[in-house]
Amino acid sequence: MSVWNPDNIRDVAESVGIVNLNNDVTENLARDVEYRIAQVLEEALKFMRHSRRTLLTTQDIAQALRVLDVEPLYGYESTRPLRFGEASLGPGQPLFYVEDEEVDFEKLINAPLPKVPREISFTAHWLAVEGVQPSIPQNPTSADSRNLELMSKGPNANSTLAAMSGSGNVAVKPLVKHVLSKELQLYFEKVCSAFLDESSEEYRTSAYSSLREDPGLHQLVPYFVQFISEKVTHGLKDIFVLTQVMRMAEALVQNKSLYVDPYVASLVPPILTSLIGRQLGGNADLSEQFSLRELAASLLGLIAKKYSHSSHTLKPRLARSCLKTFLDPSKPFGAHYGAIIGLQAVGGAEAVRVLILPNLPTYGALLKDGMAEENPRRPEAEKVLAVLFGVLGTLREGRTALANGHNGVVTEDLRGRLNGKVGEFLAAKISEAGEVDLVHAILEL
């Protein structure tokens, strides 16, 4: 039994010329009409709920019909209330209808045409590709950027210029308010003070262990990254501060409960500064400076290994920064030392083979000058020579050791071939050390 009256179906059929319709047919059509109406109402109610309304409108019905691929009704989307009139077909048979508004044709013809409404559409465009903003109409141009730079800023800016630029009396509020609990604020202060406490090594160790293992520190990660960056920027002459903030960065990276991927781009610059910076620690002992560079190199290698899957350009950019420093003869040997161990930490033996080894003939001449007796930079040059032996030693990995018959002697033939690979100076040093295995590993590449 259908709720919809079958007589309505019969009336509609007779209006289109279909008479004597079977009762079973009218019953089935009435059920179908009832189902279709319920389907339209369900879709319309979805539009009403998503619009945060409790009143169903004709616009909701029209959108529901459009979703169901049915031509929507026209004439019922007016914002004006409908006026219903009543007519009588006979005693006890009222008929209601919508009264038509009287329209003055002369006014209607002379009235300007309304604007055609535009359909809502969505488009996508590249805001930036590999950090470079493409020149497309959707992105701001360089002229817009210059206008923004010329705008008056600061509390003492000219009010007239501010009004002309459209920024007068504008209060800018952050979209998201980041609120830290008092416990987290206290923890942040205690950990930072503990890392920089020179008097108690036990206090520093406890802070390092807590930062490396404690969960629930997600909200503090950007603050720790900012703290590390500020301390490196303003504490380049304090070797203790630089070492401690590198240990802090190491603890953050090693904490398995923290998601540090979004902050790697901000964490890498202070680490690179501690690795290939020109002057670190001021008048600090040379061994402390090189220990700091070694710590930064190990941390850089850990970051490259852990986060290269989320950023495919991370390793190439790190290697490019280190290689640029290594090939710059104006940089001190300390920076070259950091660049060499940084390349090896980031790329392993492959980086040594591809990036370091081909540049050794040229670099050997610079290293020879630094090794001169009267050169004040000789201690640093000796450190660089030692680390070059160390990274070149990684080329021997996977090779079988030579027999004892060689007695650790590099023949003249081997030395001549080695000169073409690493230059005369480094070839002589390798030969003096009797590194036969290393010679063969280099010559086989």
Side-chain angles (χ1 to χ4, degrees), residues 367-404:
L367 193 59
K368 181 179 180 180
D369 295 338
M371 293 285 291
E373 291 288 343
E374 67 279 0
N375 197 322
R377 299 194 301 167
R378 178 166 181 169
E380 297 181 7
E382 291 176 349
K383 286 277 189 180
V384 173
L385 180 62
V387 81
L388 278 176
F389 272 75
V391 298
L392 289 175
T394 60
L395 300 176
R396 291 180 293 192
E397 296 177 359
R399 297 183 71 256
T400 56
L402 295 175
N404 294 332

PDB file of all heavy atoms in Angstrom, residues 367-404:
ATOM      1  N   LEU A 367      97.293  21.982   0.167  1.00  0.00           N
ATOM      2  CA  LEU A 367      97.683  21.315   1.405  1.00  0.00           C
ATOM      3  C   LEU A 367      99.203  21.325   1.571  1.00  0.00           C
ATOM      4  O   LEU A 367      99.715  21.446   2.703  1.00  0.00           O
ATOM      5  CB  LEU A 367      97.159  19.881   1.390  1.00  0.00           C
ATOM      6  CG  LEU A 367      97.184  19.114   2.712  1.00  0.00           C
ATOM      7  CD1 LEU A 367      96.363  19.827   3.765  1.00  0.00           C
ATOM      8  CD2 LEU A 367      96.652  17.702   2.513  1.00  0.00           C
ATOM      9  N   LYS A 368      99.930  21.249   0.488  1.00  0.00           N
ATOM     10  CA  LYS A 368     101.399  21.289   0.560  1.00  0.00           C
ATOM     11  C   LYS A 368     101.884  22.629   1.102  1.00  0.00           C
ATOM     12  O   LYS A 368     102.801  22.685   1.932  1.00  0.00           O
ATOM     13  CB  LYS A 368     101.981  21.029  -0.836  1.00  0.00           C
ATOM     14  CG  LYS A 368     103.496  21.025  -0.882  1.00  0.00           C
ATOM     15  CD  LYS A 368     104.000  20.746  -2.290  1.00  0.00           C
ATOM     16  CE  LYS A 368     105.522  20.747  -2.344  1.00  0.00           C
ATOM     17  NZ  LYS A 368     106.031  20.479  -3.719  1.00  0.00           N
ATOM     18  N   ASP A 369     101.256  23.722   0.640  1.00  0.00           N
ATOM     19  CA  ASP A 369     101.623  25.041   1.165  1.00  0.00           C
ATOM     20  C   ASP A 369     101.306  25.144   2.647  1.00  0.00           C
ATOM     21  O   ASP A 369     102.064  25.757   3.419  1.00  0.00           O
ATOM     22  CB  ASP A 369     100.864  26.135   0.399  1.00  0.00           C
ATOM     23  CG  ASP A 369     101.279  26.199  -1.056  1.00  0.00           C
ATOM     24  OD1 ASP A 369     102.401  25.734  -1.370  1.00  0.00           O
ATOM     25  OD2 ASP A 369     100.482  26.700  -1.883  1.00  0.00           O
ATOM     26  N   GLY A 370     100.186  24.571   3.075  1.00  0.00           N
ATOM     27  CA  GLY A 370      99.827  24.628   4.492  1.00  0.00           C
ATOM     28  C   GLY A 370     100.739  23.799   5.367  1.00  0.00           C
ATOM     29  O   GLY A 370     100.864  24.069   6.563  1.00  0.00           O
ATOM     30  N   MET A 371     101.383  22.779   4.791  1.00  0.00           N
ATOM     31  CA  MET A 371     102.274  21.909   5.562  1.00  0.00           C
ATOM     32  C   MET A 371     103.689  22.459   5.675  1.00  0.00           C
ATOM     33  O   MET A 371     104.551  21.816   6.293  1.00  0.00           O
ATOM     34  CB  MET A 371     102.317  20.526   4.908  1.00  0.00           C
ATOM     35  CG  MET A 371     101.003  19.764   4.982  1.00  0.00           C
ATOM     36  SD  MET A 371     100.645  19.102   6.604  1.00  0.00           S
ATOM     37  CE  MET A 371     101.899  17.838   6.719  1.00  0.00           C
ATOM     38  N   ALA A 372     103.936  23.627   5.105  1.00  0.00           N
ATOM     39  CA  ALA A 372     105.282  24.204   5.185  1.00  0.00           C
ATOM     40  C   ALA A 372     105.646  24.501   6.638  1.00  0.00           C
ATOM     41  O   ALA A 372     104.784  24.789   7.476  1.00  0.00           O
ATOM     42  CB  ALA A 372     105.352  25.468   4.343  1.00  0.00           C
ATOM     43  N   GLU A 373     106.934  24.446   6.938  1.00  0.00           N
ATOM     44  CA  GLU A 373     107.407  24.612   8.321  1.00  0.00           C
ATOM     45  C   GLU A 373     107.030  25.975   8.895  1.00  0.00           C
ATOM     46  O   GLU A 373     106.658  26.104  10.052  1.00  0.00           O
ATOM     47  CB  GLU A 373     108.932  24.435   8.369  1.00  0.00           C
ATOM     48  CG  GLU A 373     109.410  23.018   8.096  1.00  0.00           C
ATOM     49  CD  GLU A 373     109.095  22.080   9.244  1.00  0.00           C
ATOM     50  OE1 GLU A 373     108.816  22.578  10.361  1.00  0.00           O
ATOM     51  OE2 GLU A 373     109.108  20.861   9.032  1.00  0.00           O
ATOM     52  N   GLU A 374     107.154  27.039   8.095  1.00  0.00           N
ATOM     53  CA  GLU A 374     106.917  28.387   8.599  1.00  0.00           C
ATOM     54  C   GLU A 374     105.446  28.783   8.566  1.00  0.00           C
ATOM     55  O   GLU A 374     105.092  29.880   9.019  1.00  0.00           O
ATOM     56  CB  GLU A 374     107.743  29.401   7.787  1.00  0.00           C
ATOM     57  CG  GLU A 374     107.308  29.559   6.314  1.00  0.00           C
ATOM     58  CD  GLU A 374     107.846  28.471   5.401  1.00  0.00           C
ATOM     59  OE1 GLU A 374     108.567  27.585   5.938  1.00  0.00           O
ATOM     60  OE2 GLU A 374     107.540  28.509   4.192  1.00  0.00           O
ATOM     61  N   ASN A 375     104.593  27.931   8.068  1.00  0.00           N
ATOM     62  CA  ASN A 375     103.177  28.288   7.954  1.00  0.00           C
ATOM     63  C   ASN A 375     102.476  28.107   9.301  1.00  0.00           C
ATOM     64  O   ASN A 375     102.528  27.023   9.898  1.00  0.00           O
ATOM     65  CB  ASN A 375     102.496  27.405   6.896  1.00  0.00           C
ATOM     66  CG  ASN A 375     101.175  27.994   6.434  1.00  0.00           C
ATOM     67  OD1 ASN A 375     100.421  28.550   7.212  1.00  0.00           O
ATOM     68  ND2 ASN A 375     100.908  27.863   5.141  1.00  0.00           N
ATOM     69  N   PRO A 376     101.812  29.158   9.830  1.00  0.00           N
ATOM     70  CA  PRO A 376     101.138  29.019  11.134  1.00  0.00           C
ATOM     71  C   PRO A 376      99.915  28.097  11.075  1.00  0.00           C
ATOM     72  O   PRO A 376      99.420  27.681  12.121  1.00  0.00           O
ATOM     73  CB  PRO A 376     100.724  30.462  11.460  1.00  0.00           C
ATOM     74  CG  PRO A 376     100.648  31.161  10.140  1.00  0.00           C
ATOM     75  CD  PRO A 376     101.703  30.524   9.290  1.00  0.00           C
ATOM     76  N   ARG A 377      99.480  27.785   9.885  1.00  0.00           N
ATOM     77  CA  ARG A 377      98.303  26.918   9.761  1.00  0.00           C
ATOM     78  C   ARG A 377      98.685  25.442   9.654  1.00  0.00           C
ATOM     79  O   ARG A 377      97.809  24.610   9.360  1.00  0.00           O
ATOM     80  CB  ARG A 377      97.484  27.312   8.529  1.00  0.00           C
ATOM     81  CG  ARG A 377      96.940  28.733   8.556  1.00  0.00           C
ATOM     82  CD  ARG A 377      95.885  28.928   7.485  1.00  0.00           C
ATOM     83  NE  ARG A 377      96.403  28.658   6.152  1.00  0.00           N
ATOM     84  CZ  ARG A 377      95.628  28.511   5.069  1.00  0.00           C
ATOM     85  NH1 ARG A 377      94.316  28.596   5.178  1.00  0.00           N
ATOM     86  NH2 ARG A 377      96.173  28.283   3.882  1.00  0.00           N
ATOM     87  N   ARG A 378      99.923  25.108   9.923  1.00  0.00           N
ATOM     88  CA  ARG A 378     100.366  23.726   9.762  1.00  0.00           C
ATOM     89  C   ARG A 378      99.612  22.741  10.666  1.00  0.00           C
ATOM     90  O   ARG A 378      99.247  21.650  10.195  1.00  0.00           O
ATOM     91  CB  ARG A 378     101.860  23.623  10.024  1.00  0.00           C
ATOM     92  CG  ARG A 378     102.370  22.194   9.913  1.00  0.00           C
ATOM     93  CD  ARG A 378     103.841  22.072   9.842  1.00  0.00           C
ATOM     94  NE  ARG A 378     104.244  20.673   9.716  1.00  0.00           N
ATOM     95  CZ  ARG A 378     105.469  20.278   9.432  1.00  0.00           C
ATOM     96  NH1 ARG A 378     106.422  21.176   9.238  1.00  0.00           N
ATOM     97  NH2 ARG A 378     105.756  19.004   9.343  1.00  0.00           N
ATOM     98  N   PRO A 379      99.336  23.055  11.942  1.00  0.00           N
ATOM     99  CA  PRO A 379      98.576  22.078  12.755  1.00  0.00           C
ATOM    100  C   PRO A 379      97.216  21.716  12.137  1.00  0.00           C
ATOM    101  O   PRO A 379      96.815  20.547  12.158  1.00  0.00           O
ATOM    102  CB  PRO A 379      98.412  22.797  14.099  1.00  0.00           C
ATOM    103  CG  PRO A 379      99.558  23.747  14.160  1.00  0.00           C
ATOM    104  CD  PRO A 379      99.755  24.209  12.752  1.00  0.00           C
ATOM    105  N   GLU A 380      96.538  22.720  11.580  1.00  0.00           N
ATOM    106  CA  GLU A 380      95.250  22.435  10.953  1.00  0.00           C
ATOM    107  C   GLU A 380      95.441  21.603   9.680  1.00  0.00           C
ATOM    108  O   GLU A 380      94.657  20.691   9.380  1.00  0.00           O
ATOM    109  CB  GLU A 380      94.522  23.735  10.629  1.00  0.00           C
ATOM    110  CG  GLU A 380      94.164  24.565  11.851  1.00  0.00           C
ATOM    111  CD  GLU A 380      93.421  25.837  11.467  1.00  0.00           C
ATOM    112  OE1 GLU A 380      93.073  25.989  10.281  1.00  0.00           O
ATOM    113  OE2 GLU A 380      93.191  26.660  12.357  1.00  0.00           O
ATOM    114  N   ALA A 381      96.495  21.924   8.907  1.00  0.00           N
ATOM    115  CA  ALA A 381      96.760  21.174   7.681  1.00  0.00           C
ATOM    116  C   ALA A 381      97.075  19.709   7.991  1.00  0.00           C
ATOM    117  O   ALA A 381      96.677  18.803   7.245  1.00  0.00           O
ATOM    118  CB  ALA A 381      97.907  21.817   6.910  1.00  0.00           C
ATOM    119  N   GLU A 382      97.780  19.464   9.094  1.00  0.00           N
ATOM    120  CA  GLU A 382      98.083  18.087   9.477  1.00  0.00           C
ATOM    121  C   GLU A 382      96.799  17.331   9.827  1.00  0.00           C
ATOM    122  O   GLU A 382      96.660  16.140   9.524  1.00  0.00           O
ATOM    123  CB  GLU A 382      99.053  18.074  10.658  1.00  0.00           C
ATOM    124  CG  GLU A 382     100.452  18.559  10.294  1.00  0.00           C
ATOM    125  CD  GLU A 382     101.358  18.630  11.509  1.00  0.00           C
ATOM    126  OE1 GLU A 382     100.827  18.513  12.636  1.00  0.00           O
ATOM    127  OE2 GLU A 382     102.578  18.793  11.329  1.00  0.00           O
ATOM    128  N   LYS A 383      95.869  18.017  10.471  1.00  0.00           N
ATOM    129  CA  LYS A 383      94.576  17.384  10.776  1.00  0.00           C
ATOM    130  C   LYS A 383      93.832  17.014   9.486  1.00  0.00           C
ATOM    131  O   LYS A 383      93.231  15.947   9.384  1.00  0.00           O
ATOM    132  CB  LYS A 383      93.727  18.344  11.606  1.00  0.00           C
ATOM    133  CG  LYS A 383      94.163  18.491  13.055  1.00  0.00           C
ATOM    134  CD  LYS A 383      93.599  17.360  13.889  1.00  0.00           C
ATOM    135  CE  LYS A 383      93.827  17.599  15.367  1.00  0.00           C
ATOM    136  NZ  LYS A 383      93.277  16.505  16.203  1.00  0.00           N
ATOM    137  N   VAL A 384      93.888  17.917   8.507  1.00  0.00           N
ATOM    138  CA  VAL A 384      93.217  17.654   7.241  1.00  0.00           C
ATOM    139  C   VAL A 384      93.864  16.474   6.538  1.00  0.00           C
ATOM    140  O   VAL A 384      93.171  15.607   5.967  1.00  0.00           O
ATOM    141  CB  VAL A 384      93.240  18.914   6.352  1.00  0.00           C
ATOM    142  CG1 VAL A 384      92.685  18.599   4.970  1.00  0.00           C
ATOM    143  CG2 VAL A 384      92.434  20.031   6.989  1.00  0.00           C
ATOM    144  N   LEU A 385      95.198  16.410   6.552  1.00  0.00           N
ATOM    145  CA  LEU A 385      95.900  15.295   5.922  1.00  0.00           C
ATOM    146  C   LEU A 385      95.503  13.968   6.575  1.00  0.00           C
ATOM    147  O   LEU A 385      95.259  12.966   5.889  1.00  0.00           O
ATOM    148  CB  LEU A 385      97.411  15.506   6.019  1.00  0.00           C
ATOM    149  CG  LEU A 385      98.286  14.406   5.391  1.00  0.00           C
ATOM    150  CD1 LEU A 385      98.025  14.300   3.896  1.00  0.00           C
ATOM    151  CD2 LEU A 385      99.764  14.680   5.669  1.00  0.00           C
ATOM    152  N   ALA A 386      95.420  13.977   7.908  1.00  0.00           N
ATOM    153  CA  ALA A 386      95.045  12.754   8.617  1.00  0.00           C
ATOM    154  C   ALA A 386      93.618  12.322   8.269  1.00  0.00           C
ATOM    155  O   ALA A 386      93.348  11.123   8.069  1.00  0.00           O
ATOM    156  CB  ALA A 386      95.183  12.969  10.121  1.00  0.00           C
ATOM    157  N   VAL A 387      92.710  13.284   8.178  1.00  0.00           N
ATOM    158  CA  VAL A 387      91.319  12.912   7.873  1.00  0.00           C
ATOM    159  C   VAL A 387      91.187  12.476   6.419  1.00  0.00           C
ATOM    160  O   VAL A 387      90.336  11.641   6.094  1.00  0.00           O
ATOM    161  CB  VAL A 387      90.362  14.078   8.200  1.00  0.00           C
ATOM    162  CG1 VAL A 387      90.336  15.126   7.104  1.00  0.00           C
ATOM    163  CG2 VAL A 387      88.946  13.548   8.431  1.00  0.00           C
ATOM    164  N   LEU A 388      92.024  13.016   5.516  1.00  0.00           N
ATOM    165  CA  LEU A 388      92.001  12.542   4.130  1.00  0.00           C
ATOM    166  C   LEU A 388      92.418  11.075   4.056  1.00  0.00           C
ATOM    167  O   LEU A 388      91.818  10.283   3.311  1.00  0.00           O
ATOM    168  CB  LEU A 388      92.923  13.401   3.261  1.00  0.00           C
ATOM    169  CG  LEU A 388      92.340  14.724   2.748  1.00  0.00           C
ATOM    170  CD1 LEU A 388      93.394  15.504   1.980  1.00  0.00           C
ATOM    171  CD2 LEU A 388      91.124  14.472   1.854  1.00  0.00           C
ATOM    172  N   PHE A 389      93.442  10.692   4.838  1.00  0.00           N
ATOM    173  CA  PHE A 389      93.837   9.286   4.896  1.00  0.00           C
ATOM    174  C   PHE A 389      92.676   8.434   5.409  1.00  0.00           C
ATOM    175  O   PHE A 389      92.445   7.319   4.951  1.00  0.00           O
ATOM    176  CB  PHE A 389      95.060   9.118   5.814  1.00  0.00           C
ATOM    177  CG  PHE A 389      96.369   9.293   5.107  1.00  0.00           C
ATOM    178  CD1 PHE A 389      96.827  10.543   4.744  1.00  0.00           C
ATOM    179  CD2 PHE A 389      97.153   8.198   4.789  1.00  0.00           C
ATOM    180  CE1 PHE A 389      98.028  10.704   4.086  1.00  0.00           C
ATOM    181  CE2 PHE A 389      98.358   8.344   4.136  1.00  0.00           C
ATOM    182  CZ  PHE A 389      98.806   9.606   3.772  1.00  0.00           C
ATOM    183  N   GLY A 390      91.929   9.001   6.392  1.00  0.00           N
ATOM    184  CA  GLY A 390      90.826   8.245   6.965  1.00  0.00           C
ATOM    185  C   GLY A 390      89.681   8.030   5.988  1.00  0.00           C
ATOM    186  O   GLY A 390      89.161   6.916   5.859  1.00  0.00           O
ATOM    187  N   VAL A 391      89.280   9.096   5.275  1.00  0.00           N
ATOM    188  CA  VAL A 391      88.147   8.938   4.349  1.00  0.00           C
ATOM    189  C   VAL A 391      88.552   8.141   3.116  1.00  0.00           C
ATOM    190  O   VAL A 391      87.738   7.403   2.555  1.00  0.00           O
ATOM    191  CB  VAL A 391      87.575  10.317   3.949  1.00  0.00           C
ATOM    192  CG1 VAL A 391      87.035  11.048   5.165  1.00  0.00           C
ATOM    193  CG2 VAL A 391      88.594  11.161   3.202  1.00  0.00           C
ATOM    194  N   LEU A 392      89.820   8.279   2.680  1.00  0.00           N
ATOM    195  CA  LEU A 392      90.273   7.461   1.554  1.00  0.00           C
ATOM    196  C   LEU A 392      90.330   5.988   1.945  1.00  0.00           C
ATOM    197  O   LEU A 392      90.206   5.101   1.092  1.00  0.00           O
ATOM    198  CB  LEU A 392      91.640   7.927   1.071  1.00  0.00           C
ATOM    199  CG  LEU A 392      91.678   9.281   0.346  1.00  0.00           C
ATOM    200  CD1 LEU A 392      93.112   9.677   0.026  1.00  0.00           C
ATOM    201  CD2 LEU A 392      90.850   9.233  -0.938  1.00  0.00           C
ATOM    202  N   GLY A 393      90.517   5.721   3.225  1.00  0.00           N
ATOM    203  CA  GLY A 393      90.533   4.337   3.691  1.00  0.00           C
ATOM    204  C   GLY A 393      89.205   3.636   3.502  1.00  0.00           C
ATOM    205  O   GLY A 393      89.152   2.398   3.448  1.00  0.00           O
ATOM    206  N   THR A 394      88.100   4.394   3.412  1.00  0.00           N
ATOM    207  CA  THR A 394      86.801   3.758   3.175  1.00  0.00           C
ATOM    208  C   THR A 394      86.716   3.142   1.782  1.00  0.00           C
ATOM    209  O   THR A 394      85.837   2.314   1.537  1.00  0.00           O
ATOM    210  CB  THR A 394      85.666   4.791   3.342  1.00  0.00           C
ATOM    211  OG1 THR A 394      85.854   5.862   2.387  1.00  0.00           O
ATOM    212  CG2 THR A 394      85.665   5.373   4.738  1.00  0.00           C
ATOM    213  N   LEU A 395      87.622   3.540   0.882  1.00  0.00           N
ATOM    214  CA  LEU A 395      87.618   2.950  -0.455  1.00  0.00           C
ATOM    215  C   LEU A 395      88.079   1.498  -0.445  1.00  0.00           C
ATOM    216  O   LEU A 395      87.868   0.770  -1.409  1.00  0.00           O
ATOM    217  CB  LEU A 395      88.514   3.769  -1.395  1.00  0.00           C
ATOM    218  CG  LEU A 395      88.128   5.243  -1.581  1.00  0.00           C
ATOM    219  CD1 LEU A 395      89.164   5.955  -2.448  1.00  0.00           C
ATOM    220  CD2 LEU A 395      86.750   5.358  -2.208  1.00  0.00           C
ATOM    221  N   ARG A 396      88.703   1.085   0.670  1.00  0.00           N
ATOM    222  CA  ARG A 396      89.186  -0.291   0.758  1.00  0.00           C
ATOM    223  C   ARG A 396      88.111  -1.263   1.208  1.00  0.00           C
ATOM    224  O   ARG A 396      88.344  -2.465   1.249  1.00  0.00           O
ATOM    225  CB  ARG A 396      90.370  -0.366   1.727  1.00  0.00           C
ATOM    226  CG  ARG A 396      91.619   0.318   1.218  1.00  0.00           C
ATOM    227  CD  ARG A 396      92.760   0.217   2.190  1.00  0.00           C
ATOM    228  NE  ARG A 396      92.513   0.969   3.414  1.00  0.00           N
ATOM    229  CZ  ARG A 396      93.448   1.233   4.338  1.00  0.00           C
ATOM    230  NH1 ARG A 396      94.668   0.769   4.158  1.00  0.00           N
ATOM    231  NH2 ARG A 396      93.170   1.927   5.406  1.00  0.00           N
ATOM    232  N   GLU A 397      86.938  -0.736   1.567  1.00  0.00           N
ATOM    233  CA  GLU A 397      85.874  -1.607   2.064  1.00  0.00           C
ATOM    234  C   GLU A 397      85.417  -2.566   0.969  1.00  0.00           C
ATOM    235  O   GLU A 397      85.185  -2.167  -0.174  1.00  0.00           O
ATOM    236  CB  GLU A 397      84.689  -0.761   2.548  1.00  0.00           C
ATOM    237  CG  GLU A 397      85.023   0.122   3.732  1.00  0.00           C
ATOM    238  CD  GLU A 397      83.848   1.005   4.138  1.00  0.00           C
ATOM    239  OE1 GLU A 397      82.805   0.926   3.473  1.00  0.00           O
ATOM    240  OE2 GLU A 397      83.992   1.750   5.117  1.00  0.00           O
ATOM    241  N   GLY A 398      85.318  -3.838   1.328  1.00  0.00           N
ATOM    242  CA  GLY A 398      84.882  -4.850   0.371  1.00  0.00           C
ATOM    243  C   GLY A 398      86.004  -5.459  -0.441  1.00  0.00           C
ATOM    244  O   GLY A 398      85.756  -6.351  -1.251  1.00  0.00           O
ATOM    245  N   ARG A 399      87.247  -4.974  -0.254  1.00  0.00           N
ATOM    246  CA  ARG A 399      88.382  -5.540  -0.993  1.00  0.00           C
ATOM    247  C   ARG A 399      89.137  -6.516  -0.100  1.00  0.00           C
ATOM    248  O   ARG A 399      89.248  -6.341   1.101  1.00  0.00           O
ATOM    249  CB  ARG A 399      89.356  -4.448  -1.458  1.00  0.00           C
ATOM    250  CG  ARG A 399      88.758  -3.454  -2.432  1.00  0.00           C
ATOM    251  CD  ARG A 399      89.815  -2.458  -2.888  1.00  0.00           C
ATOM    252  NE  ARG A 399      90.796  -3.074  -3.784  1.00  0.00           N
ATOM    253  CZ  ARG A 399      92.013  -3.406  -3.426  1.00  0.00           C
ATOM    254  NH1 ARG A 399      92.440  -3.242  -2.189  1.00  0.00           N
ATOM    255  NH2 ARG A 399      92.845  -3.943  -4.299  1.00  0.00           N
ATOM    256  N   THR A 400      89.681  -7.562  -0.679  1.00  0.00           N
ATOM    257  CA  THR A 400      90.488  -8.528   0.073  1.00  0.00           C
ATOM    258  C   THR A 400      91.867  -7.942   0.317  1.00  0.00           C
ATOM    259  O   THR A 400      92.431  -7.230  -0.528  1.00  0.00           O
ATOM    260  CB  THR A 400      90.625  -9.851  -0.706  1.00  0.00           C
ATOM    261  OG1 THR A 400      91.169  -9.566  -1.994  1.00  0.00           O
ATOM    262  CG2 THR A 400      89.258 -10.510  -0.865  1.00  0.00           C
ATOM    263  N   ALA A 401      92.418  -8.232   1.480  1.00  0.00           N
ATOM    264  CA  ALA A 401      93.743  -7.709   1.833  1.00  0.00           C
ATOM    265  C   ALA A 401      94.808  -8.356   0.951  1.00  0.00           C
ATOM    266  O   ALA A 401      94.714  -9.524   0.557  1.00  0.00           O
ATOM    267  CB  ALA A 401      94.028  -7.983   3.306  1.00  0.00           C
ATOM    268  N   LEU A 402      95.853  -7.585   0.651  1.00  0.00           N
ATOM    269  CA  LEU A 402      96.947  -8.096  -0.178  1.00  0.00           C
ATOM    270  C   LEU A 402      97.833  -9.031   0.628  1.00  0.00           C
ATOM    271  O   LEU A 402      97.883  -8.989   1.855  1.00  0.00           O
ATOM    272  CB  LEU A 402      97.767  -6.925  -0.727  1.00  0.00           C
ATOM    273  CG  LEU A 402      97.033  -5.991  -1.689  1.00  0.00           C
ATOM    274  CD1 LEU A 402      97.939  -4.826  -2.046  1.00  0.00           C
ATOM    275  CD2 LEU A 402      96.609  -6.723  -2.949  1.00  0.00           C
ATOM    276  N   ALA A 403      98.555  -9.876  -0.079  1.00  0.00           N
ATOM    277  CA  ALA A 403      99.461 -10.822   0.584  1.00  0.00           C
ATOM    278  C   ALA A 403     100.621 -10.087   1.221  1.00  0.00           C
ATOM    279  O   ALA A 403     100.963  -8.960   0.859  1.00  0.00           O
ATOM    280  CB  ALA A 403      99.962 -11.858  -0.436  1.00  0.00           C
ATOM    281  N   ASN A 404     101.289 -10.750   2.162  1.00  0.00           N
ATOM    282  CA  ASN A 404     102.389 -10.107   2.880  1.00  0.00           C
ATOM    283  C   ASN A 404     103.617  -9.914   2.019  1.00  0.00           C
ATOM    284  O   ASN A 404     104.560  -9.237   2.415  1.00  0.00           O
ATOM    285  CB  ASN A 404     102.763 -10.958   4.106  1.00  0.00           C
ATOM    286  CG  ASN A 404     101.637 -10.984   5.130  1.00  0.00           C
ATOM    287  OD1 ASN A 404     100.871 -10.032   5.195  1.00  0.00           O
ATOM    288  ND2 ASN A 404     101.558 -12.070   5.904  1.00  0.00           N
TER     289      ASN A 404
END
